[in-house]
Amino acid sequence: MSILIDYFIIFWGFLLIGLMAIGGYFMFRKFLKQLPKEDGKSDMYWQHHYINETRHMWREKEKALLEELVAPVPELFRDVARQTIASKVGEVALQRNKQQITQDILIEGYIIATPKRDHRFLRKKLKEKHIDVTPYEQFFAMSKSDYRSNWKKRYQMENK
């Protein structure tokens, strides 16, 4: 009986250390987003800035599309994903001096804000909605790099 309790305590200790490490990792990432960059403002500041500047530019149709696009993200991280994508969409809209956020600007901002590993889902969703992807190919090339080493080879094989 004593050996089972010893193993349980060891298991519980490793579990707690692992969970604290995972939580610390996400807290550290949030901390890094708060650090000022070369311009004296943090990534988090610019996200809030673009969202606040373009809040009035969103129509219900584009809000619904954004919700559809972030739906596969786990609920725990969905708010962060929505905020990151909405800020990039707002940045694109402000750079182009647009009065409203259109579907084109939303898709462009989504592509630029998300890593390449998420683009397969976007292509599938756009195909379901009968939206042509060819005008956005240049933005697929501009987006964040994928974290997997052989994503191009795997992507080409899946699309054949």
Side-chain angles (χ1 to χ4, degrees):
M1 180 77 173
S2 173
I3 195 152
L4 288 175
I5 293 174
D6 291 343
Y7 282 130
F8 177 75
I9 290 172
I10 292 170
F11 169 75
W12 187 252
F14 279 117
L15 180 69
L16 286 178
I17 290 170
L19 291 174
M20 287 182 359
I22 292 168
Y25 169 74
F26 286 109
M27 288 177 63
F28 186 68
R29 283 184 54 194
K30 183 103 172 174
F31 169 74
L32 288 178
K33 288 179 93 174
Q34 294 285 353
L35 289 177
K37 303 294 183 210
E38 302 86 34
D39 62 356
K41 309 249 166 86
S42 68
D43 290 341
M44 210 59 136
Y45 168 82
W46 285 114
Q47 280 186 0
H48 291 298
H49 171 74
Y50 289 127
I51 288 173
N52 290 334
E53 289 292 316
T54 60
R55 190 176 304 274
H56 67 283
M57 298 167 67
W58 287 85
R59 297 180 298 192
E60 291 302 317
K61 182 180 169 187
E62 280 69 31
K63 286 181 185 178
L65 181 58
L66 179 62
E67 288 301 317
E68 276 186 63
L69 293 176
V70 297
V73 176
E75 193 171 337
L76 183 62
F77 307 111
R78 196 171 296 154
D79 288 338
V80 174
R82 186 183 305 114
Q83 179 178 347
T84 303
I85 294 166
S87 70
K88 186 54 77 174
V89 170
E91 180 181 355
V92 170
L94 290 176
Q95 285 176 349
R96 296 205 175 161
N97 296 321
K98 298 292 184 178
Q99 300 301 318
Q100 282 189 338
I101 292 177
T102 62
Q103 177 178 302
D104 291 336
I105 292 175
L106 174 63
I107 294 171
E108 178 184 338
Y110 183 91
I111 293 169
I112 295 170
T114 57
K116 289 189 186 300
R117 67 174 180 257
D118 295 343
H119 292 171
R120 189 175 68 195
F121 164 75
L122 177 63
R123 288 177 188 268
K124 180 181 169 188
K125 183 59 88 172
L126 293 178
K127 188 176 183 180
E128 287 175 9
K129 294 187 150 296
H130 307 290
I131 299 172
D132 186 25
V133 180
T134 52
Y136 308 110
E137 289 298 332
Q138 61 183 348
F139 304 117
F140 282 113
M142 290 173 47
S143 66
K144 295 178 183 178
S145 63
D146 192 72
Y147 303 116
R148 290 186 227 154
S149 59
N150 61 346
W151 70 270
K152 284 184 182 179
K153 183 178 176 183
R154 292 179 65 194
Y155 183 74
Q156 289 170 351
M157 290 173 57
E158 290 174 3
N159 285 331
K160 286 187 178 181

